[in-house]
Amino acid sequence: MAIASETQPQDKTSSEVSAVEKRRWTLNDFDIGKPLGRGKFGHVYLAREKRSNHIVALKVLFKSQLQQSQVEHQLRREVEIQSHLRHPNILSLYGYFYDQKRVYLILEYAAKGEVYKELQKCKYFSERRAATYVASLARALIYCHGKHVIHRDIKPENLLIGAQSELKIADFGWSVHTFNRRRTMCGTLDYLPPEMVESVEHDASVDIWSLGILCYEFLYGVPPFEAKEHSDTYRRIVQVDLKFPPKPIVSSAAKDLIAQMLVKDSSQRLPLHKLLEQPWIVQNAEPSGVYKV
Ligand code: ATP
Ligand code: MG
């Protein structure tokens, strides 16, 4: 796998990490600690890089399983995209290495675990907590979209919480680099008609929709279009059958904001930079971007 600028971490501001730069990693470079979780294709362990003592999460994927499910291509893209993103609300990928059987991803460790579990524990979040998370996500997505990266899979399972309680987007398995895709498809951007250039923006608006769904789920504890049957969920999404139950009590400013994101016509969804200026966000989101429980 000749991808992602060799295997070095790129965060020049982190002294611990830069101390181990310009190295090819092997399993011997790490002390392996407790398991952190289990994914579809392998396990994630707490690990310490021996020379720097830097704590990381090591994601171990089995090549055989990746091949069986034909997701090697997807993994390559995930690694390539995630290793080039540097943002406080995006889980960093410092590097990768592999042996005969496995692929190892060296990930930033998110000490406080999954947002999904927090949400299960609390049932639903307060408006301050929801707004803080939504603002953090909007900033991270603005950064991604600026680099022509669309995440496409924003949901509580893919959000982790860092040691400082900051939200971290993980799992770029479904993300796409629109610029790259376009270049490989069409050779050069110069000849593209306006509607295709514009569709970069157009595509990015899928993340605004997902953020609207997430905001609803944070505040109500369930996603808005949930239904027993798959076909009913599908119908409710297509019709944007958005309903706000009486309980838990949610302010009309929050409901307003959700309705502005969950708009069928993707060009009419509230742009992320405008979302950050909305009174509900300004009044509720912690200015530090950190919600301490
Ligand atoms: P799936 O596709 O089933 O979600 P996956 O292959 O994407 O699996 P992950 O979701 O990345 O696997 O990891 C599995 C679990 O390990 C996570 O749900 C989380 O609890 C834990 N985990 C993963 N990465 C980290 C990390 N960087 N820091 C802390 N915990 C992590
Ligand atoms: Mg996952």
Side-chain angles (χ1 to χ4, degrees):
M1 293 210 323
I3 41 174
S5 57
E6 296 304 310
T7 58
Q8 290 98 40
Q10 300 189 330
D11 186 2
K12 299 282 196 291
T13 56
S14 165
S15 56
E16 302 103 313
V17 177
S18 59
V20 294
E21 260 185 279
K22 293 199 172 58
R23 290 186 50 194
R24 288 190 174 276
W25 304 103
T26 73
L27 199 51
N28 281 331
D29 294 319
F30 298 90
D31 287 321
I32 308 296
K34 66 169 182 183
L36 293 172
R38 199 179 250 240
K40 263 197 277 314
F41 302 104
H43 301 236
V44 183
Y45 298 93
L46 192 65
R48 183 174 46 216
E49 201 282 321
K50 287 178 188 168
R51 279 213 213 165
S52 65
N53 272 333
H54 193 71
I55 298 292
V56 297
L58 202 62
K59 189 164 167 176
V60 184
L61 305 149
F62 286 94
K63 282 183 181 175
S64 55
Q65 286 176 27
L66 296 168
Q67 278 158 2
Q68 241 167 39
S69 311
Q70 299 184 307
V71 291
E72 301 126 289
H73 182 76
Q74 198 173 316
L75 178 67
R76 261 170 220 262
R77 195 166 56 191
E78 179 175 0
V79 169
E80 184 161 11
I81 288 174
Q82 205 172 344
S83 63
H84 285 98
L85 299 174
R86 283 289 176 271
H87 188 275
N89 300 113
I90 296 173
L91 195 79
S92 286
L93 177 71
Y94 298 126
Y96 71 91
F97 56 97
Y98 50 94
D99 57 28
Q100 270 197 318
K101 290 209 172 119
R102 291 165 283 241
V103 179
Y104 303 84
L105 305 185
I106 312 167
L107 291 162
E108 177 183 4
Y109 171 50
K112 294 193 176 158
E114 297 173 33
V115 169
Y116 180 72
K117 281 197 188 133
E118 283 292 304
L119 194 56
Q120 277 190 322
K121 205 165 72 188
C122 311
K123 290 222 174 83
Y124 53 87
F125 294 153
S126 66
E127 299 207 12
R128 298 199 78 82
R129 189 171 189 179
T132 304
Y133 287 169
V134 168
S136 300
L137 281 162
R139 282 189 221 101
L141 289 170
I142 288 169
Y143 169 84
C144 287
H145 295 170
K147 291 188 170 279
H148 303 277
V149 168
I150 306 168
H151 189 281
R152 301 199 300 182
D153 198 21
I154 297 292
K155 55 185 179 187
E157 293 89 329
N158 290 336
L159 303 175
L160 296 173
I161 305 173
Q164 312 303 320
S165 298
E166 72 284 28
L167 201 77
K168 305 264 181 194
I169 304 184
D171 219 331
F172 278 73
W174 288 105
S175 62
V176 279
H177 197 280
T178 51
F179 187 69
N180 252 351
R181 191 181 56 177
R182 192 144 292 129
R183 275 220 297 213
T184 45
M185 255 174 18
C186 310
T188 166
L189 264 180
D190 297 312
Y191 298 87
L192 286 179
E195 68 270 25
M196 281 200 73
V197 175
E198 268 172 16
S199 80
V200 172
E201 279 299 303
H202 197 76
D203 285 351
S205 59
V206 302
D207 286 338
I208 305 177
W209 175 277
S210 307
L211 192 56
I213 302 282
L214 196 68
C215 186
Y216 186 106
E217 189 167 355
F218 283 164
L219 293 167
Y220 288 97
V222 287
F225 305 122
E226 201 176 55
K228 282 212 180 72
E229 299 294 330
H230 232 66
S231 55
D232 284 335
T233 305
Y234 180 84
R235 180 188 51 77
R236 294 194 62 197
I237 293 171
V238 174
Q239 295 174 349
V240 195
D241 179 20
L242 182 62
K243 291 181 189 132
F244 299 104
K247 287 245 167 93
I249 294 166
V250 168
S251 69
S252 45
K255 291 187 245 189
D256 234 49
L257 190 69
I258 291 168
Q260 288 185 70
M261 289 190 272
L262 298 180
V263 175
K264 182 155 176 153
D265 177 355
S266 60
S267 69
Q268 298 303 308
R269 290 174 198 153
L270 183 69
L272 295 172
H273 65 273
K274 289 228 173 105
L275 181 147
L276 289 174
E277 294 163 4
Q278 292 291 305
W280 183 73
I281 292 285
V282 174
Q283 283 157 23
N284 288 285
E286 296 291 337
S288 61
V290 169
Y291 181 88
K292 297 268 186 208
V293 182

